[in-house]
Structures are given as structure tokens and as C-alpha cells.
Amino acid sequence: MTVTETPAPTGSELIDLTDVDLFVGGGHTAAFARLRAESPIHWNEGADGSRFWALTRYDDVMWAYRNHEVFGSARGAIVGGSFRSDEDTSAGRMLVSTDLPRHRMLKQAIHPAMTSGVAKRVAKRVAGLLDGALARALQDGGCDFAADVATELPAGALMEIMGIGHQDAHHLIGLTRRMVGYRDEIFVDTGGNERLRLAWLQAEVFEFFADILADRRATPGEDLVSMLLGAEVNGRRLTEEEIFYNCMNVAVGGNETSSYTACTGLLALMDHPEQYERLLEQPETVGTAVEEMLRWSSTNAYVQRVVERETERGGVVFKPGDSVTLWNYSANRDEDVFPDGHLFDTMRSPNRHLSYGAGLHRCIGAPVAQAELALLFERFAAEGLRFRLAGEVRRLRSNFILGVTRLPVEVV
Ligand code: HEM
């Protein structure tokens, strides 16, 4: 079944990838198809003042991911003047905005909190939380899947990784949701200066971790904060600020992405009833179905890099300091790599999507996310859970994280 897509603006030069309405309205899918065909390495002049290259073909995106010495991460993953900047204070401190060689050492410090053993514990925890959330949905005949069920995935992950309780986990999810939704009026007051708003939101997250840090100093545990307290990077302990940044990286990296992917995945299943039925009848297809949901949703739509050394590709010269965006969403629909990429197909194989990124910074939380998503949809198959859309879907106002903030469903 094909999916209705809003037409793209005519002429690739008219496409502005900073235009959140393009994404919220669904026009981005066609816009990217046009860019891949007409202007695969596109110079985007955003209405918000940002200027950047947009790579939209799979091979170009992969090329940039692999050339991490040319395309650095130290200016943060998000473009748009206001989120991170030239003076980004997270550079060299937070994993995702750190280049080699320090990136390797930081990753070693964080990795023990993201192993397959941890992923198993997360799955067990999430299973317990889903027992309650799904039982309530069944009893009530439906729910807002986005708020009532999907958020239990990151809640279970945070409980295991950070060693916190259920209530604190949801409090932290609320804080990171506001950070990621910093342009969405349902999460924040969108008036005033964006940079100040973000600084304030970040301070709230740091404050949350400051309390945990004090507690772990007194009583160390097996959690990420305790691990980072004991870790040495380049022969010295991490500062408190470095610990906060990396806890925030894990929380922001994991909270919205996995729950939004679950929502977009369920939405796709409801849009494709024959594939929903196949998943219920053939639970062994959950693995390929989850991969397809990851590709389809491309929840982390792009990442940013900044050119460190002059380089050339496709007749375009990238100059040091240029901002370059790698569009996972578009690469994941590139017909050269994904035949019928515009179709949702839970049996798709191979499926080498870039939803977790690639290369040096490829998502460190992928085993955890896989465990959460597989568990959820295995549960659907085991219990024959059939949901149908029961109201208006609301999308997050963002071009960076593509998410569904309200997904009313009823049990059928
Ligand atoms: C469906 C779920 C997820 C998606 C789509 C996703 C996506 C991504 C992407 C695209 C990157 C690469 C960033 C870059 O190259 O600049 C990344 C990195 C990262 N992710 Fe995830 N992520 C998911 C789940 C998680 C989870 C569950 C966690 C933690 C519990 C997490 C933590 C991180 C961290 C810490 C990084 C930085 C890695 C590095 O710089 O080396 N992510 N993620």
C-alpha cells in the first residue's frame, strides 16, 4: 500500500530544511525525493538564518559518516543558530560532540552502561512496566499510546542505566522531552530567546543529575553516574560538568528516540493492516519489522558535522567551518539502496538503514533500543494486541527528531 504524501514545494531551491511545518505537514518525504534527484548536495539557506550543506543520498551520507576526520562533531548534532554554536560548551566533554582521540576514551567510560547484559536487564524492566500500561489500555478499551505506553520504554531503560525509580525516570523524560521539543508549544513557552530557553532547560537536567551525583558519591552503585564518577579519561577523573553532559547525552539520546520510534512503528502498522496481521500471525518477523520501523521512522532525521579540512565531492567544495547535515531520513528512502523505499515492508531484507547513524558516533544505545522495541512488538504478537487509530495524531514540532506526541488508539 502506498502512503499519501503532501507534495513538495516545486523547485529544489525552494526547499528549506529548517522549515518545521514542512516536516509536521509530511511534505518532507517528497521534498527529499526531489533533493536526491535534483540537488543531492544542497546548499540550504534557512529562514532561521542558518546556512548548511544537506546530504540526502545514502552514499553521500555514508561517506560523510565515515570521514570523521574531515567532518567533525565538536559543534554539536543540531543546526539552526540557536541550539549549539561555535562556542558549544559540550565540545570535547559530551560523547556526541567530541572528536578523536578523546571520543574513544569517553566511549570506553560510558560503554559498560550500554552492554548487551544491560540491554537484557532493560528488557526485563520494560516488560514489567508494559504489563501495567497494556493492561490499563485493554481495560479502558484504548489509550494515548504515545503518553501511556511508549514512554515506558525509556522509563525502563533509565531505571536500569541510571539506577533511579519509576517516578524519577518519568520526571527525567519530561525534562528531556522539553529539551527536544524546544520549538513545540506543548512542551515549552516558545516566546523569547531560544538560546536562553535551551540553557535553562539544560540547567534543569543538570540539576536533576546533581542530586543523583551527590547520592552516588555517598553510596556508589552499578549505574552510569557511579561508573562515570570512577572513570578516568586521559589519566584524570571527569569533572562534575562532564558527568552531567554525558548523563544528559544518554538521557536525550535514548528517551525520545525509542518511544517516538515505537509510535511511528505502530502508526505504520495501523496504516498497513495486512502487515499488522502478518506480525501477529508470524512473531518470527518481529526482527525485520523492527528494522523497518527504524528505517521508516528515521526518528533522528539528521546529524550535523562541521568541515575540519577542505574536501570535495560531486563537484562541491566543502570549506573548513562549513556546516554539513547528514539526512538519515532521506538516505533511508534512497531508491538506489532501498528498492521501493517509499513502501513500508516489515519483511524488508537487507535493510541497512542509517537510523542509528554510522561510523565513529554510531548510536551506543542501539542494543538497548533494539531490546526495548523488540520486546514491545513481541508482546503485540504474543497477546494478539490489535489497535486502531481513534483520533488525531499530533506530531512533534521539530525537523531534528521526528516524533508523534499524541497517538490515540482503541483496542479492536
Ligand atoms: C530508536 C532509538 C534510537 C535512535 C534512532 C538513535 C539514533 C542515534 C543516532 C543517529 C546517533 C548518531 C549521532 C551522530 O552521529 O552524531 C546516536 C548516538 C547516540 N545515541 Fe542513540 N538512538 C537511539 C537510542 C538510543 C538509546 C536508547 C540511548 C541510550 C540509552 C542512546 C544514546 C546515544 C548516545 C550516547 C549517542 C552518542 C554516541 C557517540 O557519539 O559515540 N541512543 N543515536
Side-chain angles (χ1 to χ4, degrees):
M1 182 199 275
T2 47
V3 169
T4 321
E5 286 162 0
T6 314
T10 47
S12 56
E13 74 284 0
L14 297 177
I15 296 171
D16 176 7
L17 295 172
T18 69
D19 175 8
V20 175
D21 289 328
L22 178 71
F23 289 80
V24 175
H28 59 303
T29 310
F32 282 123
R34 185 181 290 275
L35 287 179
R36 285 195 302 276
E38 290 176 13
S39 179
I41 301 180
H42 183 69
W43 179 245
N44 196 103
E45 303 210 342
D48 67 353
S50 56
R51 303 278 180 269
F52 55 88
W53 294 106
L55 309 184
T56 52
R57 281 187 187 161
Y58 189 97
D59 285 352
D60 292 335
V61 169
M62 194 56 130
W63 165 75
Y65 268 128
R66 288 196 171 136
N67 274 297
H68 51 78
E69 278 164 8
V70 172
F71 296 102
S73 289
R75 282 195 232 158
I78 298 186
V79 283
S82 58
F83 201 93
R84 300 254 168 243
S85 66
D86 291 354
E87 330 83 63
D88 191 338
T89 51
S90 74
R93 296 174 174 178
M94 184 163 82
L95 187 65
V96 78
S97 19
T98 298
D99 293 325
L100 286 175
R102 196 169 163 78
H103 176 269
R104 188 181 302 118
M105 295 179 261
L106 259 185
K107 193 169 173 175
Q108 272 166 7
I110 296 170
H111 184 257
M114 304 280 156
T115 57
S116 53
V118 174
K120 276 194 194 125
R121 286 196 345 245
V122 168
K124 204 165 161 204
R125 178 72 73 167
V126 171
L129 298 177
L130 286 179
D131 282 345
L134 290 171
R136 279 189 295 278
L138 288 173
Q139 194 182 358
D140 298 345
C143 64
D144 175 354
F145 190 85
D148 304 335
V149 180
T151 51
E152 296 295 18
L153 303 184
L158 288 176
M159 288 168 80
E160 286 304 319
I161 293 171
M162 304 288 182
I164 57 178
H166 189 231
Q167 211 176 340
D168 277 346
H170 277 286
H171 179 60
L172 181 53
I173 291 168
L175 295 179
T176 56
R177 200 143 274 208
R178 278 154 55 80
M179 275 197 90
V180 169
Y182 76 105
R183 281 182 167 159
D184 192 324
E185 65 281 356
I186 69 163
F187 293 116
V188 291
D189 175 358
T190 51
N193 181 302
E194 267 187 6
R195 199 173 285 231
L196 281 178
R197 190 188 316 145
L198 272 158
W200 178 251
L201 292 167
Q202 179 170 302
E204 283 183 334
V205 175
F206 277 23
E207 221 171 277
F208 177 92
F209 283 113
D211 288 345
I212 300 185
L213 190 73
D215 182 71
R216 299 302 190 271
R217 272 197 206 285
T219 330
E222 305 273 289
D223 56 282
L224 178 67
V225 180
S226 304
M227 280 176 199
L228 293 178
L229 263 173
E232 281 198 0
V233 171
N234 219 6
R236 69 161 178 81
R237 291 286 162 101
L238 296 174
T239 63
E240 287 200 352
E241 212 182 30
E242 285 167 334
I243 295 177
F244 296 155
Y245 268 122
N246 286 291
C247 288
M248 180 174 80
N249 193 170
V250 169
V252 174
N255 288 358
E256 278 54 65
T257 47
S258 54
S259 58
Y260 285 146
T261 303
C263 291
T264 311
L266 173 58
L267 194 54
L269 288 178
M270 294 188 297
D271 276 344
H272 301 80
E274 73 294 349
Q275 302 207 39
Y276 199 154
E277 280 310 307
R278 184 166 62 198
L279 183 78
L280 298 188
E281 280 158 21
Q282 300 172 30
E284 66 280 8
T285 63
V286 166
T288 52
V290 165
E291 294 306 323
E292 182 66 345
M293 292 178 200
L294 283 158
R295 182 190 77 89
W296 189 249
S297 57
S298 302
T299 301
N300 192 162
Y302 75 86
V303 301
Q304 177 190 225
R305 298 292 188 259
V306 172
V307 178
E308 301 288 342
R309 291 204 299 259
E310 186 169 307
T311 191
E312 183 274 337
R313 181 145 172 121
V316 171
V317 177
F318 297 88
K319 300 269 186 206
D322 283 358
S323 163
V324 182
T325 50
L326 287 52
W327 288 89
N328 301 322
Y329 185 92
S330 179
N332 280 344
R333 280 169 172 71
D334 186 335
E335 291 280 340
D336 287 345
V337 179
F338 302 98
D340 293 328
H342 60 292
L343 297 181
F344 178 72
D345 176 6
T346 54
M347 302 292 280
R348 183 180 294 279
S349 177
N351 190 348
R352 290 187 298 273
H353 63 74
L354 294 179
S355 296
Y356 290 124
L360 192 65
H361 289 274
R362 184 178 187 274
C363 181
I364 193 175
V368 173
Q370 291 292 120
E372 294 171 26
L373 292 165
L375 183 98
L376 175 69
F377 290 102
E378 275 159 16
R379 203 56 182 268
F380 273 50
E383 296 177 19
L385 289 175
R386 283 184 183 77
F387 289 115
R388 187 168 56 204
L389 199 57
E392 204 181 320
V393 174
R394 185 184 184 281
R395 293 185 190 278
L396 178 70
R397 284 195 63 73
S398 171
N399 66 344
F400 177 65
I401 294 290
L402 307 183
V404 169
T405 58
R406 189 173 59 224
L407 184 58
V409 295
E410 60 188 7
V411 181
V412 275

